[in-house]
Amino acid sequence: MDICKIPENASKCSGSTMECFMVLSTQAQKISIATLCGLFGTLCVFENSLVLYLIFSSPGTRKKPSYIFISSLALADILASLIFVCSFVNFHVFNGTGVSKEAFLLQLGGVNTSFSASLSSLLLTALDRYISIARPSEYKLLMTRRRAWTALGVLWLSCATVAALPLLGWNCCTLDSRCSELFPFVDDTYLSGWVCLSLLLLGCIVCAYAHVLCRARQHVAYMGQHQAQAGRQNTRMRMDVMLAKTLVMVLAVLVLCWSPVLALMIYSIFSRLSDALRQVFAFCSTLCLLNSMVNPIIYALRSKELSSNLSRLLARFGRQLEGPGESPEAESTHRSSVVET
């Protein structure tokens, strides 16, 4: 394994460089991390997989750019959960220092790609909602499925390229530079750039949602004044406002879960971290999984189309459990309840 410069506060460590970054000192801490990662990761994969199924199982949702972007967010959360849980638990709980520098940077690149794609998918969703509300008459011409898939392709390629830079040579071993105190082999300059990029994405998302909320408030006032004559356009506006509010809730959860991690990353760039703060960072990292787990719950509770698809799925599953012996009266009642939903 390559040995490179390590943080000054880790110079007391002996042997492999990666051992300096194993900050969980007690068995209770390791069990807590393993439990949180296992719980959040399992629920995240299940919930986001369900969201993907609900979107692509219905022609009405899989063709809409809004849900194409949401499916990208769900896919990014699934990949982030799988890669993060496996690498994080193996490293901190099972003391997995047997991997090479290249293998570790490859795992880290996968996590960075997924989380960056998650943020970028939220940004595209914000722009999509802004166009839908600000220019409803031109929305279908401006936001086509082809443009949506092209934007996602550029998004994922860009995120993968940025995440692969440490593996391609921008690391403190190759450059003989100062290593990060939070991640093995990661150059402090690269970490600064990644944090700045994440903050820029968050800032753009906040600005976009601020405009979306402003437009949504205007449309709510408009619908109140033209309730009787709005008709079909009124229904479309109400759906756009509902989805905009849903995505604002997603953004609020995102900021709350990511703020501690980004704050500690920024602090580590300008000052040395104590062992206690590095332990705090390890536990705060699990909040990223919590964010990925909460997003699908918000979709199910706020999106009428997804909740309707979920109701039909549960109804079909319930009929399969009851078997062919279900009475016609019960079948009729069941169908009517689904239609009402």
Side-chain angles (χ1 to χ4, degrees):
M1 181 177 296
D2 296 329
I3 302 297
C4 57
K5 290 184 178 181
I6 57 178
E8 293 181 12
N9 69 331
S11 59
K12 59 186 178 181
C13 297
S14 60
S16 172
T17 301
M18 295 183 68
E19 293 179 356
C20 306
F21 295 87
M22 294 181 177
V23 296
L24 302 182
S25 56
T26 65
Q27 193 67 20
Q29 292 176 344
K30 294 181 179 181
I31 294 176
S32 299
I33 284 289
T35 302
L36 291 175
C37 288
L39 178 62
F40 293 162
T42 302
L43 291 176
C44 177
V45 171
F46 172 76
E47 292 172 0
N48 283 285
S49 298
L50 180 60
V51 168
L52 287 177
Y53 176 80
L54 293 177
I55 291 176
F56 287 99
S57 63
S58 172
T61 53
R62 67 167 174 259
K63 295 181 180 180
K64 294 184 178 180
S66 303
Y67 289 101
I68 292 177
F69 295 143
I70 290 178
S71 66
S72 174
L73 176 62
L75 177 61
D77 286 338
I78 290 175
L79 294 178
S81 299
L82 291 174
I83 302 174
F84 177 84
V85 169
C86 292
S87 58
F88 195 78
V89 172
N90 179 64
F91 182 79
H92 285 289
V93 177
F94 298 106
N95 300 332
T97 59
V99 297
S100 63
K101 179 190 71 175
E102 290 74 17
F104 179 84
L105 291 178
L106 181 61
Q107 294 174 358
L108 185 62
V111 175
N112 287 345
T113 299
S114 303
F115 282 130
S116 299
S118 180
L119 284 175
S120 301
S121 297
L122 274 177
L123 177 59
L124 289 181
T125 308
L127 295 177
D128 171 78
R129 286 300 86 201
Y130 177 75
I131 296 174
S132 176
I133 293 181
R135 306 173 69 176
S137 60
E138 305 174 39
Y139 173 75
K140 290 187 177 180
L141 295 177
L142 295 175
M143 189 60 66
T144 62
R145 275 181 290 171
R146 182 176 181 179
R147 290 181 177 179
W149 284 111
T150 301
L152 287 180
V154 174
L155 178 156
W156 280 88
L157 181 61
S158 301
C159 293
T161 301
V162 173
L165 291 178
L167 183 62
L168 297 177
W170 193 353
N171 57 75
C172 56
C173 295
T174 303
L175 300 178
D176 195 29
S177 57
R178 183 176 183 271
C179 290
S180 167
E181 296 188 15
L182 297 173
F183 305 100
F185 312 120
V186 174
D187 179 74
D188 248 356
T189 307
Y190 173 80
L191 181 61
S192 302
W194 190 86
V195 170
C196 290
L197 177 61
S198 299
L199 292 176
L200 178 62
L201 288 175
L202 284 175
C204 292
I205 294 172
V206 170
C207 291
Y209 278 127
H211 289 290
V212 168
L213 278 181
C214 181
R215 289 286 183 173
R217 291 175 65 89
Q218 294 176 1
H219 280 194
V220 169
Y222 174 85
M223 288 187 293
Q225 296 174 358
H226 302 80
Q227 189 71 29
Q229 55 186 3
R232 191 171 182 179
Q233 186 178 5
N234 194 349
T235 303
R236 170 65 185 274
M237 287 182 178
R238 188 177 292 110
M239 291 177 61
D240 288 338
V241 171
M242 176 67 73
L243 187 52
K245 292 180 178 179
T246 299
L247 297 173
V248 169
M249 293 176 63
V250 173
L251 175 63
V253 173
L254 175 77
V255 172
L256 290 175
C257 291
W258 274 87
S259 294
V261 172
L262 291 176
L264 287 173
M265 286 184 183
I266 295 174
Y267 183 78
S268 71
I269 295 172
F270 299 101
S271 180
R272 285 184 291 177
L273 296 176
S274 64
D275 290 341
L277 283 178
R278 294 166 73 195
Q279 290 176 353
V280 170
F281 178 80
F283 280 93
C284 288
S285 298
T286 60
L287 292 177
C288 303
L289 285 177
L290 178 63
N291 169 59
S292 299
M293 184 192 73
V294 171
N295 285 345
I297 299 177
I298 299 177
Y299 303 150
L301 292 178
R302 300 286 299 179
S303 173
K304 289 186 177 180
E305 291 179 283
L306 288 186
S307 60
S308 178
N309 293 346
L310 180 60
S311 298
R312 287 194 292 268
L313 176 63
L314 294 177
R316 186 166 61 249
F317 181 71
R319 289 196 298 270
Q320 291 177 352
L321 290 180
E322 293 174 359
E326 184 180 15
S327 64
E329 293 80 3
E331 176 74 14
S332 176
T333 303
H334 189 73
R335 287 181 179 176
S336 63
S337 64
V338 173
V339 172
E340 291 174 0
T341 305

